Amino acid sequence: MGQYDAQVRQQLSKYKHKDLAQRDVLNVFASFSDLKPKIDKYAFNDGSVKDLLCIDGTIPVHYKGAKYNIPVCIYVMDTHPYNPPMCFVRPTKDMLIKPSKNVDANGRIYLPYLHEWKFPNSDLIGLIQVMSVVFGEASPVYAKPQRAAPPRPTYPPGGSSHPQQNTPYPTNSGFMPMPNASGQPQNSGYYPPQNPPTSSYQPSGYPYPAPATGYPYPQSSSITPYPTNTQPQMTTAKTPPGSVNMDALAMNSDPYIVKSQNSLSDDQVRASIQSAVEDKLKRRSKEVLQQMKSEIAVLTETQKTLKQGQETLERITNELEKQHAEVEQNTALLMRKDEEIKQVLNKMEGQQEIDIDEAVVATAPLYKQLLNLFAEENAIEDTMYYLSEALRKNVIETEVFLKHVRELSRRQYVVKALMQKARTKAGLTLL
């Protein structure tokens, strides 16, 4: 069991598709150890607030041959994985967001992968891999500019009150080179940095201030601290006043530590570029492989469904053929019976009328007695019925009715007794 299995299972208990969401989230923690789960409130555009699972931490980014950790937070919707998550860049107190086509001034992340999100082809691991690639091409943050103290001029020996104009500024000022708004560091430590880019982002106690564009933002006041390098960089280059060396922004393995690349040799730069290209190709290959696996899984499931449908159609076809054969047999049998009936009718037309009393002849005297007793019993019941109807219509008197009913009842009792005795004699079941 993973480190966050029980916590994630509890936090996703109210999600609509908790099993699918749990599997997707746990895969993220198994692949990225710097991410951790927590429950955080999220405010939507309509004013509603929900408690959502937030994946908080840093993701690895390879930028110009070095590995960096970009702090992000991913809010998993309660309908995950059928709806895309809300992703934000969460800068530290020493960082500022660098707006671009993929990140706005409030830190909201916009990617085609999110726009084209569709389960099961999209998942959180693929999203984080895409974010790493995109951030490796354009960093979403830069170091917050700091004002450097003005340098003291040096005076020539002899007590002259005029400073030497051709003497360079001291190289041991102890200031760290800071990146400007364009994401390029200033190689000189004693020039004030460029003004940051104009945006609506204002650092405050909240990681994301209320957006002016109407985008939703997380309601959290906790900022995950990340270590920074406090050792001053010693600049050795003597840059003439009024000029700035715009080198590429480089960060070491610690989050957002700016370092100089002037000391790197060509072999080291070539090895760094080769490593970055290899990592990028591996990530792209892994992403394509994952996509192909998902497509193969979908095609396999579709093939399975089609095979099941084919078997069902074959079974229905066989049943229909069997029923068709039975219908043809029944039709032929019906036609034969019809011919037989026609022949019997033709024979009956030339014969005399049959006496009803002689139409049914018993095979034995005992059976003939049973037949006569059964007919007599039914005649007695019919007689008693018509007597009751005559009494009801005042056709006969009550005394006459009772007299006939009494006589008929005695006879009916005798008939039933004889029927039971005859059936016993014949070996038939008793009524």
Side-chain angles (χ1 to χ4, degrees), residues 42-49 86 88 108 110 211 213-217:
Y42 189 88
F44 293 86
N45 289 337
D46 58 359
S48 61
V49 179
M86 307 295 290
F88 295 86
R108 174 78 178 275
Y110 300 92
T213 58
Y215 294 112
Y217 60 94

Side-chain angles (χ1 to χ4, degrees), residues 397-409:
E397 298 292 337
T398 305
E399 294 179 357
V400 177
F401 171 77
L402 293 175
K403 179 181 177 181
H404 288 287
V405 169
R406 185 165 51 250
E407 293 176 355
L408 292 172
S409 297

Side-chain angles (χ1 to χ4, degrees), residues 70 85 160 238 254 261 285 290 292 309 383 410-411 420:
I70 302 295
S160 173
K238 296 181 181 180
D254 294 331
Q261 292 184 341
S285 301
Q290 187 68 23
M292 295 298 294
T383 304
R410 289 195 189 100
R411 182 57 186 170
Q420 296 293 344

Side-chain angles (χ1 to χ4, degrees), residues 12-299:
L12 296 178
S13 59
K14 297 182 179 179
Y15 276 48
K16 295 181 180 180
H17 312 285
K18 56 183 179 181
D19 293 335
L20 296 175
Q22 177 182 342
R23 188 182 306 113
D24 197 10
V25 172
L26 292 179
N27 289 337
V28 171
F29 298 134
S31 302
F32 300 93
S33 59
D34 293 334
L35 297 174
K36 60 182 180 180
K38 68 175 183 179
I39 289 293
D40 201 356
K41 293 187 179 297
Y42 189 88
F44 293 86
N45 289 337
D46 58 359
S48 61
V49 179
K50 289 185 178 180
D51 291 331
L52 300 178
L53 175 67
C54 175
I55 301 177
D56 186 55
T58 61
I59 61 175
V61 174
H62 294 271
Y63 185 80
K64 294 188 177 181
K67 180 181 178 181
Y68 317 104
N69 298 319
I70 302 295
V72 297
C73 60
I74 302 173
Y75 287 85
V76 182
M77 297 293 104
D78 56 358
T79 55
H80 189 82
Y82 293 96
N83 291 101
M86 307 295 290
C87 306
F88 295 86
V89 175
R90 175 170 288 179
T92 63
K93 61 182 179 180
D94 298 327
M95 298 295 154
L96 292 178
I97 295 177
K98 181 181 178 182
S100 64
K101 64 178 182 180
N102 296 318
V103 180
D104 63 10
N106 297 314
R108 174 78 178 275
I109 299 175
Y110 300 92
L111 294 172
Y113 192 88
L114 290 171
H115 181 70
E116 300 172 359
W117 182 280
K118 185 177 181 181
F119 179 79
N121 297 330
S122 303
D123 55 16
L124 293 175
I125 292 182
L127 172 62
I128 295 175
Q129 292 173 349
V130 173
M131 290 170 58
S132 298
V133 173
V134 172
F135 293 162
E137 297 174 352
S139 177
V141 294
Y142 64 96
K144 183 184 297 184
Q146 296 180 357
R147 287 288 181 178
R152 293 185 304 170
T154 58
Y155 295 90
S160 173
S161 60
H162 298 284
Q164 293 180 352
Q165 300 297 330
N166 57 352
T167 302
Y169 288 94
T171 61
N172 57 351
S173 60
F175 291 100
M176 181 187 302
M178 305 301 293
N180 55 22
S182 63
Q184 305 293 337
Q186 295 182 5
N187 197 30
S188 176
Y190 34 82
Y191 287 101
Q194 299 286 340
N195 293 330
T198 303
S199 67
S200 60
Y201 177 82
Q202 295 294 335
S204 62
Y206 294 91
Y208 306 104
T213 58
Y215 294 112
Y217 60 94
Q219 303 290 326
S220 174
S221 60
S222 62
I223 302 177
T224 305
Y226 299 96
T228 57
N229 189 2
T230 58
Q231 296 181 359
Q233 298 281 343
M234 300 299 294
T235 59
T236 58
K238 296 181 181 180
T239 306
S243 64
V244 178
N245 185 2
M246 304 296 286
D247 292 337
L249 175 62
M251 298 176 286
N252 57 13
S253 59
D254 294 331
Y256 306 108
I257 303 302
V258 182
K259 64 181 181 180
S260 174
Q261 292 184 341
N262 295 335
S263 61
L264 296 178
S265 63
D266 294 340
D267 293 338
Q268 291 175 334
V269 173
R270 188 181 300 105
S272 299
I273 295 175
Q274 183 178 359
S275 176
V277 172
E278 290 178 356
D279 293 339
K280 193 169 184 179
L281 289 176
K282 288 180 180 178
R283 290 195 301 273
R284 293 288 178 86
S285 301
K286 188 175 181 180
E287 181 180 352
V288 173
L289 179 61
Q290 187 68 23
Q291 183 178 358
M292 295 298 294
K293 286 182 177 179
S294 301
E295 293 178 357
I296 291 174
V298 173
L299 292 176

